[in-house]
Amino acid sequence: MTLEDVDRVAVLGAGSMGHGITEVVAIAGYPATMRDVETELVESGYEDIEWSLEKLAEKDRIDEAPADVLDRIETTTDLKAAVTDADLVIEAAPEELDLKHDVFSDLEELTHDEAILASNTSSLPITDIAEATDSPERVVGMHFFNPPVKMDLVEVIYGEHTTEETAETAHAFVESIDRTPIYVRKDVRGFVVNTVLGPFGDEAAWMVSEGEADVREADATMVHERGYPMGPFELSDMTGIDVGYQVRREAGQPVPPVVEAKVDADELGRKTGVGYYEYDDGDGADYAPEDASAEFDWLRIEARIVNEAADLIGDEVATAEAIDTGLRLGAGFPEGPCRRGDKIGLDVVLEKLESLHDEYGEARYEPSAHLRGLVEDGRTGEDAGTGFFEYGEADERDYTTINRTLHDDGLLEIQLDRPERLNAISPDLMDEVVHLLGTVDHDEVRCVLFEGAGDRAFSAGADITSFSGYDPHEVEPGEVYRAIEEFPRPTIAKIDGFCLGGGHELALACDLRVATTDSEFGFPEINLGLIPGGGGTQRTVRMLGDARAKELIYRGNRISAERAESWGLINRAVEPEEFDEVVGAFVDDVVSGPPIALRKAKRVINRGRDQDISAGLELESQAFGILLETDDMMEGASAFMEDRDPEFEGR
Ligand code: COA
């Protein structure tokens, strides 16, 4: 069965995962039936969907009225009615193997032979679940994250007998509902995200148990120094300390004494009002940057995380890219663990693990064979030019925060690819754009188009979470903007959604800007006690004049695309339906234009802008004189006289 054959979806379970999955599937346009065992459960799940759709509509996050989405959702308590016509069934029942076996053996009977049977389990092996059917080849894991409406990631897990076709269709389906799938190619406990995330809480708990660290200091350091959205103890309080405890017991892993003590005292986190923090008076964990400590040995945690990632790669469970995507989208990591390992140096990681292993003799510090192999081969990370990823020249480099596509006609598309942070501009992203523009063969490029991944933002500015890692002597935020401004080909920003702060500056460094009417522009830096740092003060004043530039920068609020257009900040504000077409027309003109003349035009306009007019005119006439002697000029003139389209070759 391929994606085209999937017309109808059934979701089994109306709890928090079941109703969330149903909602996401229906938003994407599929008719869906949500089934649970009791009418009240189904009704309550349906009400939750109604509530959530209203919220999404208020925030303008769905294109339709909630009622139109609801029209595609049916509910029932009758399993047969739910699944008979379904081409894809997603089971989201409680995590009990016996129960899942009952469900899947019924599915074997009730569904048509081709239907894909997916389980949203997060803790049971897909292979075990599939045992209840005679057709385990069509059973696959489809692990959504909570809440499905907000979380972009879905792990697509192969059971032992899952066919390529089943997994590929599941993967394509996930893409079709606007989520990001990653393949988990072997049915390992915890799949990818929870496996790699495990040491985040576990190692921190060992460190506290051993008296090596303090809870608050650990959390503050991991957040403020290392950029994680939450510290390990705050996270554990949120998910429930007993949950992590159970996972370790089931996996036969030792439990850190501090966890054991909390479970014994029934202090399980938020849900009991006390965990590592107290929650009686609100939300508890109020640690601040000053609680972070240089003494806190974060490398113990990160080394184990990188080690888990290496193990999964070595066992061919997932690629480095899939792991990084998984942890960024599924766990909110500021960057993937493989990328981070490459930055720290895999030799440093290995050394840390070896010294911990020597000290404690515990299996959790045993370095993975894959990690050892990389280090032995000299593939120790970014400094060595190769590690989990490649850092060589041009085509050999693996980018982790941007996607690039160079089309045959010379269009270079650069997608800012951090949708989980609204494409916020991190030091890595700047570095990768500078590298790409600096190494790509200019002769092959006729136009560069920047856009943002996801449907919410071009870019919401500099990545605020990476500010703490900045060394003021090292940071040169201007570099990326200069590289764009000085790139010898026309550059276009294709803007759909938030275009703020550093993202706004990136768009301003481009030559042309086309935006949807849904877009918003602003410089929120002032709200953070900052000013724009990537040319925003200078480019804006030249483009808009004093009053408007100062309004944007002083007030820090956002303006609509219509206003941006009337101010001359962007070239066009267009309705979303016409967006691709209008951008396409801009691109077509530029891509087929005469490369040398466009380069000169860009240079003369940019250089001349800051000169007095006579110097500017001098630049212009020099360029004009040079262009008169190009083959392209001859071609343009001949084509005009022969009444045909010119074919410029940049000569
Ligand atoms: N840096 C880092 N992360 C950012 C970010 C930024 N500049 N802008 C957004 N994000 C992250 C959010 O933290 C959030 O992550 P989470 O889901 O892990 O919490 C995610 O992107 C989605 O943003 P969210 O704030 O939940 O969306 P929203 O629709 O409620 O608000 C904005 C959108 C753009 C108004 C809001 O994100 C914002 O104000 N961002 C900061 C803009 C800014 O100050 N930029 C200039 C920096 S110098």
Side-chain angles (χ1 to χ4, degrees):
M1 148 138 358
T2 64
L3 180 63
E4 286 71 51
D5 305 318
V6 178
D7 292 325
R8 200 171 176 91
V9 179
V11 180
L12 307 183
S16 60
M17 294 309 287
H19 85 252
I21 296 169
T22 308
E23 181 178 351
V24 170
V25 167
I27 289 172
Y30 288 96
T33 307
M34 177 172 73
R35 184 263 179 182
D36 212 318
V37 286
E38 311 266 351
T39 310
E40 300 82 74
L41 294 176
V42 176
E43 280 172 0
S44 137
Y46 191 81
E47 281 164 19
D48 289 342
I49 297 179
E50 279 179 316
W51 179 87
S52 166
L53 286 171
E54 283 301 333
K55 287 272 156 221
L56 291 177
E58 273 168 30
K59 291 191 194 161
D60 225 5
R61 301 278 296 269
I62 43 175
D63 299 333
E64 291 177 297
D68 294 336
V69 178
L70 288 169
D71 272 350
R72 286 194 286 276
I73 300 177
E74 283 177 16
T75 58
T76 180
T77 54
D78 180 351
L79 183 62
K80 183 161 189 258
V83 304
T84 314
D85 297 331
D87 307 302
L88 167 66
V89 181
I90 306 173
E91 166 273 315
E95 294 280 64
E96 293 162 32
L97 188 58
D98 288 345
L99 183 87
K100 302 222 189 223
H101 273 168
D102 290 346
V103 173
F104 276 76
S105 78
D106 288 343
L107 289 179
E108 173 82 44
E109 300 281 309
L110 300 173
T111 54
H112 67 74
D113 292 351
E114 301 280 297
I116 290 184
L117 310 180
S119 173
N120 176 55
T121 183
S122 58
S123 59
L124 298 168
I126 304 302
T127 314
D128 291 1
I129 294 173
E131 271 170 8
T133 72
D134 291 332
S135 46
E137 64 280 357
R138 59 185 175 118
V139 178
V140 65
M142 211 186 252
H143 178 217
F144 287 77
F145 287 72
N146 197 7
V149 175
K150 275 194 82 177
M151 300 293 285
D152 195 19
L153 186 76
V154 180
E155 290 177 310
V156 174
I157 306 120
Y158 284 72
E160 213 173 300
H161 305 288
T162 310
T163 56
E164 283 295 325
E165 187 184 328
T166 299
E168 279 168 15
T169 304
H171 192 274
F173 174 78
V174 170
E175 285 180 331
S176 79
I177 57 171
D178 258 342
R179 291 294 177 277
T180 303
I182 57 166
Y183 279 125
V184 182
R185 293 191 183 272
K186 288 187 186 155
D187 197 3
V188 295
R189 184 188 287 278
F191 310 139
V192 164
V193 174
N194 287 332
T195 300
V196 178
L197 181 61
F200 186 67
D202 190 60
E203 191 55 21
W206 283 110
M207 290 167 77
V208 168
S209 299
E210 286 155 6
E212 300 266 325
D214 152 69
V215 164
R216 192 168 291 275
E217 159 193 279
D219 277 1
T221 308
M222 294 314 275
V223 172
H224 296 293
E225 298 289 322
R226 305 300 295 161
Y228 296 90
M230 220 182 260
F233 295 101
E234 190 186 3
L235 177 63
S236 179
D237 273 0
M238 201 179 85
T239 45
I241 299 173
D242 53 325
V243 175
Y245 174 83
Q246 275 308 337
V247 169
R248 290 183 185 88
R249 294 311 282 263
E250 279 163 20
Q253 292 165 354
V255 178
V258 63
V259 176
E260 190 104 46
K262 286 287 166 196
V263 173
D264 287 347
D266 203 31
E267 294 180 353
L268 306 178
R270 277 177 188 270
K271 61 184 169 191
T272 57
V274 191
Y276 295 109
Y277 297 91
E278 295 197 3
Y279 296 90
D280 301 338
D281 53 349
D283 51 14
D286 58 347
Y287 51 80
E290 56 270 22
D291 296 329
S293 154
E295 305 289 302
F296 182 74
D297 190 3
W298 50 261
L299 185 56
R300 275 183 67 160
I301 299 179
E302 292 194 353
R304 280 191 57 201
I305 289 176
V306 173
N307 198 37
E308 290 290 352
D311 232 4
L312 292 177
I313 297 167
D315 291 344
E316 298 183 345
V317 175
T319 60
E321 199 186 353
I323 293 172
D324 278 14
T325 302
L327 273 293
R328 279 168 54 191
L329 301 185
F333 274 27
E335 64 192 350
C338 297
R339 171 71 187 122
R340 187 156 278 193
D342 276 356
K343 269 189 189 167
I344 297 170
L346 300 184
D347 47 343
V348 175
V349 169
L350 178 62
E351 216 172 279
K352 184 75 186 176
L353 290 164
E354 282 172 336
S355 85
L356 287 165
H357 195 247
D358 286 350
E359 190 176 344
Y360 297 98
E362 296 285 347
R364 60 181 170 274
Y365 303 118
E366 181 97 53
S368 104
H370 184 66
L371 182 69
R372 277 191 195 288
L374 287 171
V375 174
E376 276 161 21
D377 293 346
R379 296 178 57 187
T380 52
E382 186 165 7
D383 285 349
T386 169
F388 287 118
F389 296 107
E390 297 300 325
Y391 300 90
E393 285 308 295
D395 288 353
E396 282 153 40
R397 170 137 177 189
D398 293 319
Y399 295 115
T400 59
T401 62
I402 57 173
N403 294 317
R404 48 104 192 258
T405 319
L406 180 57
H407 298 268
D408 289 344
D409 62 0
L411 172 65
L412 174 62
E413 284 183 292
I414 304 181
Q415 186 185 51
L416 313 179
D417 185 24
R418 304 185 71 225
E420 73 281 12
R421 300 249 162 136
L422 301 183
N423 304 318
I425 299 185
S426 61
D428 265 8
L429 189 145
M430 295 194 231
D431 183 54
E432 291 185 357
V433 172
V434 170
H435 181 272
L436 174 57
L437 295 180
T439 53
V440 69
D441 183 350
H442 295 175
D443 289 337
E444 287 184 12
V445 179
R446 290 234 176 154
C447 168
V448 182
L449 183 75
F450 285 93
E451 65 179 322
D455 55 4
R456 300 208 51 218
F458 177 73
S459 166
D463 188 331
I464 300 171
T465 61
S466 63
F467 281 5
S468 54
Y470 277 126
D471 171 350
H473 306 288
E474 292 280 322
V475 185
E476 231 258 273
E479 195 185 359
V480 68
Y481 306 102
R482 256 201 311 279
I484 296 169
E485 187 165 65
E486 288 174 10
F487 191 76
R489 303 284 177 228
T491 49
I492 303 178
K494 180 180 181 186
I495 302 157
D496 184 15
F498 292 113
C499 183
L500 305 176
H504 190 177
E505 290 170 307
L506 197 149
L508 292 182
C510 291
D511 299 314
L512 303 165
R513 286 159 291 284
V514 181
T516 60
T517 43
D518 293 340
S519 304
E520 291 181 30
F521 297 79
F523 285 116
E525 282 88 343
I526 208 77
N527 303 321
L528 301 169
L530 288 170
I531 60 170
T537 59
Q538 301 308 301
R539 291 199 180 91
T540 320
V541 75
R542 280 165 178 73
M543 203 177 278
L544 304 181
D546 234 43
R548 287 170 174 172
K550 285 178 178 160
E551 177 177 337
L552 281 174
I553 292 166
Y554 291 4
R555 297 184 71 192
N557 51 7
R558 305 196 288 268
I559 61 167
S560 67
E562 281 91 350
R563 175 158 299 176
E565 185 186 30
S566 75
W567 281 10
L569 185 72
I570 60 176
N571 296 77
R572 296 280 189 288
V574 289
E575 295 296 330
E577 308 81 65
E578 295 159 17
F579 188 45
D580 283 338
E581 197 185 319
V582 173
V583 174
F586 271 72
V587 168
D588 283 349
D589 284 344
V590 174
V591 157
S592 58
I596 305 175
L598 285 166
R599 191 177 76 215
K600 290 282 181 205
K602 175 167 181 166
R603 216 178 140 84
V604 169
I605 295 172
N606 286 355
R607 290 277 152 88
R609 187 170 46 210
D610 302 327
Q611 318 255 351
D612 67 46
I613 188 147
S614 58
L617 290 171
E618 185 61 30
L619 286 172
E620 184 188 85
S621 48
Q622 279 168 8
F624 189 82
I626 292 169
L627 289 168
L628 280 176
E629 296 189 357
T630 60
D631 291 352
D632 279 352
M633 196 287 280
M634 290 300 289
E635 165 65 8
S638 315
F640 174 77
M641 286 181 293
E642 292 162 21
D643 201 16
R644 59 174 173 83
D645 287 336
E647 281 185 28
F648 295 117
E649 292 187 4
R651 284 206 290 263

